[in-house]
Amino acid sequence: MFGISDPGIYMAYLLVFLCVIFAVVYGIINWNKE
Amino acid sequence: MNTFVLGLIVLAYLISLTYLGFKGYKKSSTDKDYLLAGGEIHPFVMAVSYGATFISSSAIIGFGGVAANFGMGLIWLTFLNMFVGVVVAFLFFGRKTRRIGHKLNAHTFPEFLGKSYNSKAIQVFAGAVIFIAMPLYAAVVLKGGAVFIEKIFEIDYNIALFLFALVIAAYVIAGGLRGVMYTDALQGTIMFASMIFLLIWTYKTIGMGFGEANIHLSEMASEVPDKLRAIGHMGWTSMPKAGSPWWYTLVTSLILGVGIGVLAQPQLVVRFMTVKSTKELNRAVLIGCVFILATTGIIFTVGAVSNIFFMQTEGQIAINAVKDLDKIIPEYIKAAMPGWFAAIFMLTILSASMSTLSSQFHAMGTSIGRDVVSTLSKKQRNNTRITRGGVAFAIIISYIICYTLSISVIARGTAIFFGICAATFLPAYFCSLYWKRTTAKAALWSMISGFSASLFALLFMHAKESQALGISQFIFGKPVLFDKMPWPVLDPMIISLPISILVIVVLTLISNDSAAKNKTVLA
């Protein structure tokens, strides 16, 4: 996918993407917030 | 772009920095203002300042050049920069550091460690390590900025270096951390915007989309030089051959060394204590992650893709076309980008260098001024004046080291410092937050053993440094102590961090002292 066949590189891009998704969701949910 | 327009852009930039530095100076009347920016910084300023401090010209020029050589495997470092450097750092380290730091009234990272363990020895040792090791990191960043100014303005390297150091010295010494963070926010914004443009223009220049460029780059694997193929290089869209020297260098030095070392960077940890609540840290997670993606994610991708550009225009890959890793990105910008963007990118490099350097100088100055001199001195002194003197001294030391550096040293110098910080500080820092039983003795010996093991590995085991320094050759008659793989290519942090962890765990477990006797009660 996206011209990348090496699973090591593909996984790195995937994790970067997931990390951004997490940061955006976490940031929005906890924007005004044990 | 002519020199007059270039001069105008730089002048506007310098006037902006002067204004922000002066604003910091006007608001810095107490120790807390100078050392912690008053402890009430806006989350945007904090997050962008953290990112801009973290991402230096070393990341853009040094690691961008490394990406041109190693390929897209460096994207693993982007992931670690985001996940470890922002998510883990802010949520698992930052929140507790902020709260405990406020309670202990700590103003610097060594002071935080010292007060956590109720030990002046820890504070002084941590301050001394920072002051001894950080000038190397500062010098490689200073060199990165000066080399770029030299190439763009076509002026003498010595003049570029002097002027560059002078401008940073002015606003760090005057404005303290508040001046540093205000200017960081401006510099980070410039970095973010120009990186987005760089990504778009790169794919426009080579005439391909992301997927098409990756396919083309995969097909270029046959262009890998034989000497690199022999040590494990498999192409720019593949990880190196597992277990090869190329793999060990990429994974242990460049990815793990920097990716984990970020957690114990003194100039970054202090950022957690500049905000007044966990709300700011929650917001900073989003801003910080997006910033790191837009800087390292883009430059590592562009670095790898620059091989296509050099192949199209010069018929050879980047490292063959430019020779020096540290000059690949500057040459690429000059050749591939529009003239006006070269000037904007110059501001980006200046911003990346200055935002990191200002924090390094501030951290070194506070280490020698507040953590070593003021702590050891029995007299009551003017701390801010001592710290300002420490900053000036740190700048002079870094400036001198610049003249001893060889080529292609920027990324390696960064990795060395991050590794030393991880081995020396990380176990003691983690335990100060999460293991109340840890004793001051265990923490101090962990720091001493981590630092000593790092130095030993650099001097006698890791081939790149031990061969260059020649101490192992002089004492043992061979360039490295153990020449069996993977020891000569294993990053020192992979050896020294486990030793440091082992020492703190074992000494704490065998100690009869209760935590209450050794540590300040935090609850």
Side-chain angles (χ1 to χ4, degrees), chain B residues 13-29 33-34 167-184 186-187 388:
Chain B
Y13 175 67
L14 290 177
I15 289 170
S16 305
L17 290 186
T18 306
Y19 167 71
L20 292 168
F22 183 70
K23 199 174 170 184
Y25 171 72
K26 291 292 284 180
K27 289 187 173 181
S28 292
S29 52
D33 287 330
Y34 194 82
V167 169
I168 301 166
Y171 73 80
V172 178
I173 292 171
L177 193 58
R178 208 186 276 269
V180 167
M181 291 181 81
Y182 288 164
T183 50
D184 281 358
L186 169 70
Q187 291 158 342
R388 283 185 163 132

Side-chain angles (χ1 to χ4, degrees), chain B residues 232-300:
Chain B
H233 197 320
M234 307 273 282
W236 293 275
T237 56
S238 300
M239 288 296 284
K241 189 178 178 186
S244 65
W246 201 245
W247 184 89
Y248 273 108
T249 302
L250 176 67
V251 174
T252 69
S253 287
L254 299 169
I255 295 175
L256 289 178
V258 176
I260 293 172
V262 64
L263 286 173
Q265 290 291 297
Q267 74 279 21
L268 296 180
V269 171
V270 80
R271 294 286 186 283
F272 301 141
M273 296 189 275
T274 64
V275 292
K276 63 181 178 184
S277 79
T278 51
K279 184 160 69 179
E280 278 78 6
L281 289 172
N282 287 337
R283 293 176 179 187
V285 168
L286 191 162
I287 301 164
C289 258
V290 171
F291 182 86
I292 297 291
L293 173 67
T295 46
T296 66
I298 287 176
I299 198 66
F300 296 165

Side-chain angles (χ1 to χ4, degrees), chain B residues 187-244:
Chain B
Q187 291 158 342
T189 306
I190 293 171
M191 289 161 69
F192 183 88
S194 73
M195 282 296 170
I196 298 292
F197 179 86
L198 175 66
L199 181 72
I200 295 167
W201 201 267
T202 288
Y203 285 105
K204 186 176 181 298
T205 303
I206 59 172
M208 302 175 195
F210 181 71
E212 198 185 344
N214 290 339
I215 292 168
H216 192 78
L217 201 55
S218 300
E219 289 166 353
M220 280 172 56
S222 58
E223 300 290 339
V224 172
D226 289 341
K227 63 174 183 177
L228 294 184
R229 193 189 306 280
I231 55 172
H233 197 320
M234 307 273 282
W236 293 275
T237 56
S238 300
M239 288 296 284
K241 189 178 178 186
S244 65

Side-chain angles (χ1 to χ4, degrees), chain B residues 27 44 71 111 162 190 234 252 278 305 350-351 356 364-365 367 369 410 417 434 437 510 515:
Chain B
K27 289 187 173 181
F44 174 81
E111 188 174 18
F162 178 74
I190 293 171
M234 307 273 282
T252 69
T278 51
V305 168
L350 287 182
S351 295
T356 302
M364 287 188 281
S367 293
I410 294 178
F417 179 71
Y434 286 104
R437 193 181 156 182
I510 63 172

